[in-house]
């Protein structure tokens, strides 16, 4: 008995310990072990994809559920590509490929018509950077007949280059593409950063100097307008009303991260093309941006213990839905920078290693006790109580980034790239800001002729309907026409109507002939005082009129005429029409431009907000 009781207690104790370990749920990550990184990343990726339903029946591939905006769907697909790149696990490749291709829009440039209420240049840019990554990492190419990754990135570049706004602030891209979106009068750093990033990487991938020229032009504009200062700090943006002189001073990690990777690409491009002076200049810019990144977005005493932080909102618990994901992109781009600027590896690897360890330690949330929160720094490993796509994607990316040394280098056209490009991609949609023109094209002679024909048909149908409503079926055509014409040609009748007096009528005999003319005023007293001609068959049912007036029709006669004809008012009164949503690209509130269906959250990198219209 005693032995059996002892075994039972031992089993219960072991089970309790195992349960406690499972409930704690924090990952024991070793950033020096490839196997440990892959094991933790696999579970984090599984939890990240649990938020996504775009691959389920009846859902839209590429779109994230509310309250996430369209742009973050592109960032999400980029995370799945990174997961495959670092681990070799193809589990989510089809989800990523389907999501990217489903959102390309009718012109294959990531301008889907259902996103026009939310899509800005930065939104489009995130999808462009995702497909650029797919080309560089040799992600599975789309099927034949589908747009290819490199061509899609070129289309994004071409459409944005055509939107370069020289008239205001002497250059730069506006935040918004369409005039009706809040923020159209604002030029922000992230729109320029995405454009710069794609241009620099296209220059390196293709060797085409035109892309490099645009990257240089964008960098110079950022410096001239003081969005990038002499310490390489990158500020949010400014309104065009005062020529971009009043700068919004907020700093967000994805701004500096996008410029960091783009500058590394330019350093590699100029080095490959034997431009020694230019290569040295871009190296200095990489170092300056990395210094700024560490100083602003890492918390700690020195490089050996600093941990990543979203400084503008994280310490005060004010990060919005967009900002919760920013550390994912900084982690992603810092790691990728080491491939094109290898002298940065040791420093970046240390910062990312510290951050990954801290991030994994606090992943104790959710029902499975392993969901990740936002706060990694200075939190003693405690979960902050939040979960979501942004937090999960950030933790996944910083963990994956610690495998960068073992990952294959990005390819170019000359080093094994397989993605097919198209330098003219997006040309039929270049710079377009009018969705009607985008989807229907210019008006042709044939369009005008068709419009005339349709107008004639509609007017004819309308006139026929009016004629039907005012015609009395008990009269001949000639009588109806005479009555209709007399209504509009007799001045005295019009005067009586305007004055509110009695109407005139024709004197009616018991024959089918009208014997009187309009214009003779009579007292309106019976239901037949309408000027109607009474058929002979009905006249026999009436006694001789007294004092020139018809007597009231008997009930039997009214019944014989059948039901009353529906009036014109009945036909013309409008029926309720339900409003339909305008085509979405969206979400941003901003970024609406991204709102949940009833509120307006704060934008990603700006104090401005977009309006979200529907799902």
């Amino acid at each position: 008995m005693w032995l059996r009781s002892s075994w039972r207690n031992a089993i219960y104790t072991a089970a309790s310990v195992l349960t406690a370990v499972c409930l704690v749920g924090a990952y024991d990550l070793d950033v020096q072990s490839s196997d440990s990184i892959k094991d933790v990343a696999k579970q984090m990726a599984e939890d990240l994809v649990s938020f996504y339903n775009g691959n389920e029946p009846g859902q839209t591939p590429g779109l994230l559920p509310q309250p996430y905006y369209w742009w973050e769907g592109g960032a999400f697909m980029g995370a799945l590509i990174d997961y495959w790149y670092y681990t070799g696990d193809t589990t989510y490749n089809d989800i990523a490929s389907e999501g990217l291709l489903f959102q390309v829009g009718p012109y294959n440039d990531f301008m889907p018509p259902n996103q026009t209420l939310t899509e800005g240049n930065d939104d489009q840019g995130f999808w462009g950077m995702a497909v650029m990554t797919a080309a560089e990492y040799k992600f599975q190419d789309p099927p034949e007949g589908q747009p290819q990754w490199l061509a899609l990135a070129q289309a994004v570049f071409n459409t944005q280059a055509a939107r370069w706004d020289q008239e205001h602030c002497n250059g730069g891209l506006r935040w918004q593409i369409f005039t009706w979106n809040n923020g159209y009068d604002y030029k922000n750093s992230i729109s320029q950063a995405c454009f710069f990033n794609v241009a620099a990487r296209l220059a390196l991938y293709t060797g085409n100097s035109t892309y490099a020229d645009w990257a240089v032009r964008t960098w110079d504009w950022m410096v001239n307008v003081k969005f990038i200062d002499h310490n390489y700090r990158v500020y949010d943006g400014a309104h065009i009303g005062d020529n971009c002189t009043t700068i919004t001073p907020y700093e967000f990690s994805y701004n500096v991260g996008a410029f960091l990777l783009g500058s590394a690409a330019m350093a590699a491009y100029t080095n490959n093309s034997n431009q020694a002076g230019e290569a040295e200049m871009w190296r200095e810019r990489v170092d300056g941006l990395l210094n700024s990144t560490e100083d602003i977005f890492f918390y700690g005493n020195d490089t050996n213990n600093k941990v990543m932080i979203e400084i503008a909102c994280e310490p005060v618990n004010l990060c919005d839905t967009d900002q919760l994901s920013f550390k994912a992109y900084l982690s992603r781009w810092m790691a990728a920078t080491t491939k094109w600027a290898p002298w940065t590896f040791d420093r970046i690897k240390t910062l990312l290693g510290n951050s990954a360890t801290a991030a994994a330690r606090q992943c104790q949330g959710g029902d499975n006790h392993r969901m990740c929160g936002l706060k990694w720094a200075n939190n003693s490993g405690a979960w902050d109580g939040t979960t979501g796509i942004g937090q999960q994607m950030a933790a996944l990316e910083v963990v994956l980034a610690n495998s960068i040394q073992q990952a294959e280098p990005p390819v170019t056209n000359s080093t094994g790239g397989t993605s097919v490009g198209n330098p003219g991609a997006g040309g039929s949609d270049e710079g377009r800001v009018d969705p009607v023109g985008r989807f229907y094209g210019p008006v042709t002679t044939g369009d005008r002729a068709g419009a005339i024909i349709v107008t004639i048909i509609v007017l004819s149908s309308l006139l026929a309907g009016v004629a039907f409503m005012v015609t009395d079926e008990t009269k001949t055509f000639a009588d109806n026409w005479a009555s209709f014409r007399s209504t509009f040609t007799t001045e005295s009748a019009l005067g009586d109507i305007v004055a509110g007096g009695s109407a005139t009528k024709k004197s009616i005999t018991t024959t089918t002939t009208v014997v009187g003319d309009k214009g003779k005023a009579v007292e309106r007293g019976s239901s037949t005082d309408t000027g109607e001609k009474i058929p002979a068959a009905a006249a026999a049912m009436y006694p001789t009129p007294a004092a020139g007036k018809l007597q009231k029709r008997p009930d039997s006669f009214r019944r014989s005429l059948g039901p009353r004809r529906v009036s014109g008012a009945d036909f013309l009164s409008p029926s309720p029409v339900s409003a339909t949503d305008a085509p979405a690209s969206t979400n941003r509130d901003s970024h609406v431009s991204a709102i949940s269906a009833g509120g307006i959250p704060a934008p990603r990198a700006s104090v401005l907000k977009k309006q979200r219209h529907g799902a």
Side-chain angles (χ1 to χ4, degrees):
M1 176 71 70
W2 174 85
L3 183 61
R4 182 169 58 186
S5 177
S6 296
W7 274 103
R8 183 183 304 159
N9 291 337
I11 292 172
Y12 286 161
T13 300
S16 298
V17 172
L18 181 62
T19 300
V21 171
C22 292
L23 289 177
V24 170
Y27 294 112
D28 184 17
L29 174 67
D30 179 1
V31 296
Q32 304 303 325
S33 168
S34 179
D35 289 339
S36 177
I37 292 172
K38 289 181 179 180
D39 180 62
V40 171
K42 181 176 182 179
Q43 297 175 74
M44 287 183 171
E46 180 181 331
D47 292 336
L48 173 63
V49 174
S50 70
F51 289 98
Y52 180 70
N53 60 12
N55 59 329
E56 297 175 0
Q59 301 300 318
T60 304
L63 294 188
L64 301 179
Q66 295 284 356
Y68 301 98
Y69 296 113
W70 179 72
W71 74 272
E72 199 163 342
F76 179 94
M77 299 307 155
L80 298 186
I81 294 173
D82 279 352
Y83 175 73
W84 161 80
Y85 172 65
Y86 285 111
T87 68
D89 185 353
T90 62
T91 300
Y92 308 114
N93 284 16
D94 289 343
I95 291 178
S97 182
E98 179 189 41
L100 289 169
L101 293 174
F102 199 86
Q103 294 297 323
V104 299
Y107 292 94
N108 296 332
D109 56 3
F110 292 107
M111 292 285 288
N114 64 337
Q115 295 299 327
T116 56
L117 294 181
T118 63
E119 184 173 1
N121 282 302
D122 51 349
D123 304 271
Q124 185 191 26
F126 264 86
W127 289 87
M129 290 186 290
V131 291
M132 192 69 237
T133 297
E136 293 163 344
Y137 290 172
K138 295 182 67 174
F139 186 66
Q140 62 187 38
D141 290 325
E144 186 177 354
Q146 293 285 330
Q148 303 299 300
W149 306 133
L150 179 58
L152 287 168
Q154 290 171 314
V156 170
F157 169 84
N158 288 335
T159 57
Q160 294 200 344
R163 295 188 202 115
W164 186 265
D165 177 27
Q166 196 67 33
E167 181 179 354
H168 302 91
C169 308
N170 200 34
L173 292 175
R174 293 173 183 260
W175 176 18
Q176 298 303 317
I177 297 173
F178 301 108
T179 58
W180 53 79
N181 283 335
N182 190 20
Y184 183 71
D185 64 342
Y186 193 72
K187 293 191 176 181
N188 61 346
S189 291
I190 189 57
S191 294
Q192 325 307 321
C194 292
F195 182 59
F196 170 80
N197 185 292
V198 171
R201 293 161 69 183
L202 282 171
L204 178 58
Y205 193 100
T206 66
N208 188 330
S209 62
T210 298
Y211 299 122
D213 292 342
W214 273 101
V216 170
R217 183 178 189 180
T218 304
W219 177 276
D220 290 346
W221 182 83
M222 287 286 296
V223 172
N224 290 336
V225 81
K226 295 182 173 56
F227 287 4
I228 296 178
D229 71 9
H230 64 281
N231 290 319
Y232 293 94
R233 298 180 67 166
V234 184
Y235 303 108
D236 186 62
H239 290 275
I240 65 175
D242 60 356
N243 203 35
C244 297
T245 57
T246 304
I247 297 175
T248 304
Y250 299 119
E251 297 179 68
F252 296 93
S253 62
Y254 71 164
N255 284 327
V256 68
F259 277 106
L260 176 65
L261 180 59
S263 295
M266 287 300 293
Y269 167 78
T270 51
N271 184 64
N272 292 347
S273 54
N274 298 316
Q275 303 177 51
E278 296 294 309
E280 183 60 30
M281 179 185 67
W282 285 108
R283 177 172 180 143
E284 291 177 4
R285 290 172 176 177
V286 169
D287 290 341
L289 289 167
L290 185 54
N291 289 339
S292 174
T293 299
E294 181 177 344
D295 290 344
I296 304 300
F297 298 105
F298 283 84
Y299 175 88
N301 297 322
D302 58 45
T303 301
N304 292 325
N305 61 23
K306 286 184 175 180
V307 174
M308 192 180 296
I309 185 172
E310 192 61 49
I311 193 65
C313 61
E314 185 180 324
V316 290
N317 300 317
L318 291 178
C319 294
D320 65 16
T321 300
D322 294 341
Q323 294 158 1
L324 291 170
S325 70
F326 287 178
K327 290 192 292 188
Y329 320 128
L330 180 58
S331 301
R332 177 188 299 177
W333 294 329
M334 285 181 69
T337 292
T338 66
K339 292 298 190 183
W340 293 327
W343 68 89
T344 65
F345 175 80
D346 290 340
R347 183 180 182 186
I348 287 178
K349 179 64 169 63
T350 300
L351 292 169
L352 293 178
N354 300 340
S355 300
T357 301
R361 186 184 301 124
Q362 56 83 47
C363 293
Q364 304 173 30
D367 294 337
N368 61 5
H369 303 282
R370 69 182 194 193
M371 301 299 287
C372 303
L374 176 66
K375 292 185 177 181
W376 310 340
N378 195 32
N379 70 342
S380 301
W383 174 54
D384 64 8
T386 69
T387 61
I389 290 177
Q391 299 95 311
Q392 197 68 28
M393 184 161 52
L396 173 62
E397 287 281 10
V398 76
V399 168
L400 288 171
N402 281 272
S403 292
I404 188 63
Q405 189 172 20
Q406 292 76 36
E408 292 292 326
V411 298
T412 68
N413 273 342
S414 60
T415 62
T418 61
S419 189
V420 178
N422 177 8
S428 58
D429 200 29
E430 277 191 358
R432 189 86 66 173
V433 296
D434 174 17
V436 175
R438 290 176 66 242
F439 302 124
Y440 297 102
V443 178
T444 65
T445 302
D447 295 330
R448 294 187 180 91
I452 293 173
I453 293 172
V454 171
T455 301
I456 292 173
I457 293 174
V458 171
L459 289 177
S460 298
S461 300
L462 180 62
L463 292 174
V466 172
F468 173 79
M469 288 185 286
V470 301
T471 299
D472 188 342
E473 67 272 17
T474 64
K475 297 180 180 179
T476 66
F477 174 80
D479 292 335
N480 272 306
W481 174 248
S483 177
F484 178 78
R485 186 176 59 180
S486 64
T487 300
F488 295 98
T489 57
T490 305
E491 181 178 354
S492 59
L494 180 59
D496 287 340
I497 293 173
V498 173
S502 60
T504 60
K505 68 176 184 70
K506 293 176 183 172
S507 300
I508 304 175
T509 67
T510 58
T511 68
T512 59
T513 303
V514 178
V515 296
D517 292 326
K518 261 193 180 289
K520 185 175 181 179
V522 295
E523 179 182 359
R524 185 179 295 278
S526 73
S527 62
T528 58
D529 290 342
T530 61
E532 294 180 349
K533 171 184 170 184
I534 305 300
M541 303 176 61
Y542 288 92
T544 302
K549 293 174 61 179
L550 293 178
Q551 295 181 352
K552 189 176 182 180
R553 298 175 182 174
D555 289 341
S556 59
F557 175 73
R558 290 199 301 271
R559 286 194 300 269
S560 71
L561 293 179
R564 178 182 64 88
R565 182 162 2 130
V566 179
S567 69
D570 294 325
F571 278 106
L572 298 177
S573 60
S575 58
V577 178
S578 62
T580 58
D581 291 334
S585 20
T586 272
N587 175 139
R588 239 187 284 101
D589 115 75
S590 153
H591 247 292
V592 157
S593 276
I595 294 183
S596 44
I600 305 181
R604 289 202 312 277
S606 152
V607 292
L608 299 179
K609 301 176 178 67
K610 285 186 181 181
Q611 300 169 340
R612 182 184 289 282
H613 299 260

